[in-house]
Amino acid sequence: MAHTNQTGGTEKNGSLSSILYCTSDLKEGSLQWVKEPLNGQVLMVLSMDNNCSAASFDMELCAEKLQSLGVQVAAEQWRRLIQDAVLKPEVRRYMFYNSRAFQIAIAVVFYMSLWTNIYSTVQLCSFGRYWEASVLVTLAAVAVTVIVILVIDHRQRKINMNTDVRLAAVNEIFIKHRLILGITDVLDGPHNILQLWFVHFSPERCLQSLSAHITDLQRTREPALRHSLDELCVVMEAVVSPDPGTEEEASREESPLLSSGMNLNKEPVTCNELLHLIPEGPPEAMAQQLLVIFSGCYVRLLVTGRLPQAVAAGHLEQSNVPCLCQFIQSSVLNAHRSWFVAR
């Protein structure tokens, strides 16, 4: 796979083939299609500096490129959804603390703290004054740090409820136009750069295959299927609405005998509710919801080369990585047949 990056160079990646995309600093008219886009082909990438709170994606250029690709979607609708999904201050803070740059800093601090603590403990022993002890301390600290990094990397291969799932509303709109979105971060010197990826994806074959697979699981392994889907849930904060008669009676009981002339505004009572992302329904509706929910995670793993190789041929042309339905079957529905080989 060869594509042009923002600096005009060429970058190679073996997980995808024939990928062509445009970035936010390319001039109008510089993108020319040679052939029809393939499934899994990146069409556009928008970048922004996450260190600058005033920075944002170039939505004007994005709208122009989408229009040139024949995607007819109301700009106000998807702009608002992207704003709510990834551009809110609290979401950007979370993405910064979950970024590669922050993880590298944490790994360095963890290694230094661990080395210091182990070395101080070894110095209390009789063999602590020998230089071999320092070597053993260094090796132990490196080994533990590498294990922590591998655990973090493994966690990042799973769906992130705070970023991937937030793009579900956007992907629900764009998947109808054969596009799915995902977000990643890269380290450019001291800057943490967020990248919003637009990937071509035709959902028809994946939807048909996933619907058939869910139908088969409902017939043969209904409890296991329900258990797997019940794990896909988020906690929502809901306002409790008390009964009007009870609320009026409680307000009279709690009112002071002597009015102080102050208007006490009570904060609304809230409770946490568990929202299942994949409710019970027809197999096709459940498959459609799974494709929408996991498309953001799939794009993130696809463009970063973290998807394993597929054993069976999927719906990605000229590629050895799994398609979206294979990814969902293996990672979510716990299929007996493994679609992936170890890397």
Side-chain angles (χ1 to χ4, degrees), residues 172-226:
E172 188 175 10
I173 296 175
F174 279 109
I175 199 172
K176 301 174 184 177
H177 301 271
R178 299 188 175 186
L179 281 177
I180 53 178
L181 278 64
I183 191 165
T184 63
D185 71 276
V186 295
L187 189 60
D188 184 16
H191 299 282
N192 174 233
I193 307 298
L194 297 183
Q195 294 181 318
L196 188 64
W197 300 75
F198 292 73
V199 175
H200 177 79
F201 173 72
S202 299
E204 291 81 11
R205 289 182 293 172
C206 277
L207 179 61
Q208 182 179 2
S209 175
L210 194 57
S211 299
H213 185 72
I214 292 177
T215 301
D216 181 66
L217 290 179
Q218 287 179 336
R219 186 177 61 254
T220 59
R221 296 194 298 127
E222 172 68 24
L225 172 64
R226 193 66 258 169

Side-chain angles (χ1 to χ4, degrees), residues 1-3 11-19 39-42 298-310 316-323 343:
M1 183 272 287
H3 58 77
E11 183 178 338
K12 293 186 178 181
N13 190 325
S15 62
L16 296 174
S17 61
S18 302
I19 286 184
N39 255 8
Q41 185 167 333
V42 180
Y298 178 78
V299 170
R300 175 171 58 85
L301 298 179
L302 177 70
V303 299
T304 55
R306 292 185 176 183
L307 284 175
Q309 295 181 358
L316 293 186
E317 298 85 354
Q318 303 177 7
S319 179
N320 58 355
V321 298
C323 62
R343 269 191 173 180

Side-chain angles (χ1 to χ4, degrees), residues 93-226:
R93 283 195 300 269
Y94 170 82
M95 297 185 68
F96 173 77
Y97 291 129
N98 200 47
S99 64
R100 188 178 303 273
F102 192 79
Q103 290 173 1
I104 292 175
I106 291 296
V108 172
V109 173
F110 176 80
Y111 168 78
M112 295 176 63
S113 301
L114 183 63
W115 190 94
T116 303
N117 282 277
I118 297 178
Y119 183 79
S120 302
T121 303
V122 170
Q123 289 300 307
L124 300 177
C125 304
S126 58
F127 60 87
R129 62 180 180 271
Y130 299 106
W131 66 269
E132 290 88 349
S134 300
V135 175
L136 292 177
V137 168
T138 301
L139 292 177
V142 169
V144 175
T145 304
V146 169
I147 292 175
V148 171
I149 293 175
L150 292 178
V151 170
I152 294 175
D153 181 74
H154 177 71
R155 292 291 300 175
Q156 287 188 339
R157 294 174 185 267
K158 298 182 179 181
I159 188 169
N160 192 321
M161 293 294 178
N162 295 310
T163 54
D164 300 327
V165 176
R166 295 183 69 93
L167 288 171
V170 187
N171 283 322
E172 188 175 10
I173 296 175
F174 279 109
I175 199 172
K176 301 174 184 177
H177 301 271
R178 299 188 175 186
L179 281 177
I180 53 178
L181 278 64
I183 191 165
T184 63
D185 71 276
V186 295
L187 189 60
D188 184 16
H191 299 282
N192 174 233
I193 307 298
L194 297 183
Q195 294 181 318
L196 188 64
W197 300 75
F198 292 73
V199 175
H200 177 79
F201 173 72
S202 299
E204 291 81 11
R205 289 182 293 172
C206 277
L207 179 61
Q208 182 179 2
S209 175
L210 194 57
S211 299
H213 185 72
I214 292 177
T215 301
D216 181 66
L217 290 179
Q218 287 179 336
R219 186 177 61 254
T220 59
R221 296 194 298 127
E222 172 68 24
L225 172 64
R226 193 66 258 169

